[in-house]
Amino acid sequence: MVNPCPKCGYVRRARDKGSSDECPGCGLIFSRWERRERYKRELRQITDDRTFLQRALDCLQLTDGEAPQARHPFFWVRLVVYLALLVWGWKIAGYSYRDGEIMSARFVHLPLLVFHEAGHLIFMPLGNFMHILGGTLMQLIMPLACFSVFLFRQRDPLAASFCLWWTAVSFMDIAPYMYDALDPKLLLLSGMTGAEDAGHDWINILSSLGMLQKAHGIGGATHAFGILLMVLAQLWGALLLLRQYRLPASDGLSATGMDDL
């Protein structure tokens, strides 16, 4: 079946002469038309990508697309929480990752430890390597899962920024165990160090990957990444609070401009 010309609709006949790449009716060059249409499709794809980026910025409330119309009714409570996390976070960031000082921040470390140990059980069916790595993965998955729920389901980016802060602290909590793998001195739950107990996660992980000699560098980079993530979380939270402060006071939850809080 011969397709009609996309410009004039002419259907080529058997008696028509000339190149099959040219429409006898209007002279359209089909190969040129196809290249032009391909370019248009690629341009639409780029436009769609920009639309996706715009929607992402709206979701983060970095644009006015999904910004609330009134100040959150618990704005001042949320401001106090933000300031507490700001002060507390930078205290934690100042802890040395070389000696596990972050374990003294028990209110942060102990919940992460619970998720860590649960991760070993959850990932156990996936093999020995994932069983060992699963503790670290679960320690990161939990705050990231909360981040996703608050950002995409609850449409509450400030609460999401608090979860991003929590994720940053989790990276800083992992860093000492990575650093310790090369010359183990930290006490494990067994009451022994990794030099005495074969249960040191990161000795096993890095040894399996042939990267044990890089443990100090990996621990330092992980700690630095945690600090960077904390800076981003707190800058994001500060921007959201500043924008909300400039809004008129809310009379109730319905005035926030968000469906769910």
Side-chain angles (χ1 to χ4, degrees):
M1 179 179 180
V2 179
N3 292 326
C5 172
K7 182 177 180 181
C8 68
Y10 184 89
V11 178
R12 176 175 286 275
R13 299 175 177 85
R15 65 174 181 270
D16 290 331
K17 299 180 179 180
S19 172
S20 62
D21 192 41
E22 181 178 354
C23 174
C26 65
L28 176 70
I29 305 299
F30 297 128
S31 59
R32 294 178 183 175
W33 176 84
E34 178 58 35
R35 285 197 299 269
R36 187 164 57 246
E37 289 300 305
R38 185 166 58 249
Y39 172 78
K40 290 180 180 179
R41 288 194 297 270
E42 292 172 354
L43 185 60
R44 282 195 296 270
Q45 181 62 46
I46 293 173
T47 303
D48 290 342
D49 291 343
R50 288 176 178 171
T51 301
F52 175 79
L53 177 60
Q54 183 67 35
R55 290 177 179 175
L57 292 175
D58 289 346
C59 193
L60 296 173
Q61 289 190 12
L62 298 177
T63 64
D64 294 328
E66 294 188 11
Q69 302 302 312
R71 190 185 302 165
H72 194 284
F74 300 114
F75 172 81
W76 297 107
V77 175
R78 290 152 76 92
L79 176 61
V80 170
V81 172
Y82 172 83
L83 292 175
L85 294 180
L86 179 66
V87 173
W88 193 20
W90 287 108
K91 182 179 180 181
I92 293 173
Y95 289 153
S96 172
Y97 63 89
R98 294 177 176 86
D99 57 12
E101 189 179 6
I102 194 172
M103 290 188 292
S104 63
R106 293 187 176 275
F107 188 70
V108 170
H109 175 70
L110 291 181
L112 291 174
L113 182 60
V114 172
F115 296 134
H116 182 102
E117 295 304 318
H120 288 310
L121 297 176
I122 292 171
F123 284 89
M124 186 182 295
L126 300 181
N128 186 59
F129 181 80
M130 290 303 300
H131 166 56
I132 297 171
L133 182 61
T136 298
L137 290 179
M138 185 57 63
Q139 185 173 334
L140 296 173
I141 287 171
M142 284 304 299
L144 286 173
C146 293
F147 168 85
S148 299
V149 169
F150 280 116
L151 184 61
F152 299 112
R153 183 175 179 82
Q154 300 297 328
R155 300 293 184 182
D156 190 342
L158 184 62
S161 75
F162 294 163
C163 293
L164 191 61
W165 177 94
W166 183 19
T167 306
V169 172
S170 188
F171 272 103
M172 287 187 274
D173 185 73
I174 293 166
Y177 289 99
M178 294 176 166
Y179 184 90
D180 185 64
L182 184 59
D183 182 20
K185 297 177 181 177
L186 295 179
L187 290 179
L188 306 178
L189 290 179
S190 64
M192 296 183 289
T193 68
E196 306 164 309
D197 188 339
H200 194 299
D201 292 353
W202 282 96
I203 290 179
N204 292 311
I205 292 169
L206 294 177
S207 295
S208 298
L209 299 174
M211 300 176 66
L212 185 59
Q213 295 302 315
K214 299 180 180 180
H216 286 178
I218 293 172
T222 301
H223 186 262
F225 179 76
I227 292 177
L228 176 62
L229 201 61
M230 179 176 287
V231 170
L232 293 176
Q234 293 180 334
L235 287 176
W236 182 24
L239 177 62
L240 293 171
L241 287 167
L242 179 61
R243 296 188 69 183
Q244 286 232 338
Y245 177 74
R246 293 172 175 172
L247 295 173
S250 171
D251 294 328
L253 295 179
S254 61
T256 63
M258 294 179 284
D259 295 331
D260 297 305
L261 293 172

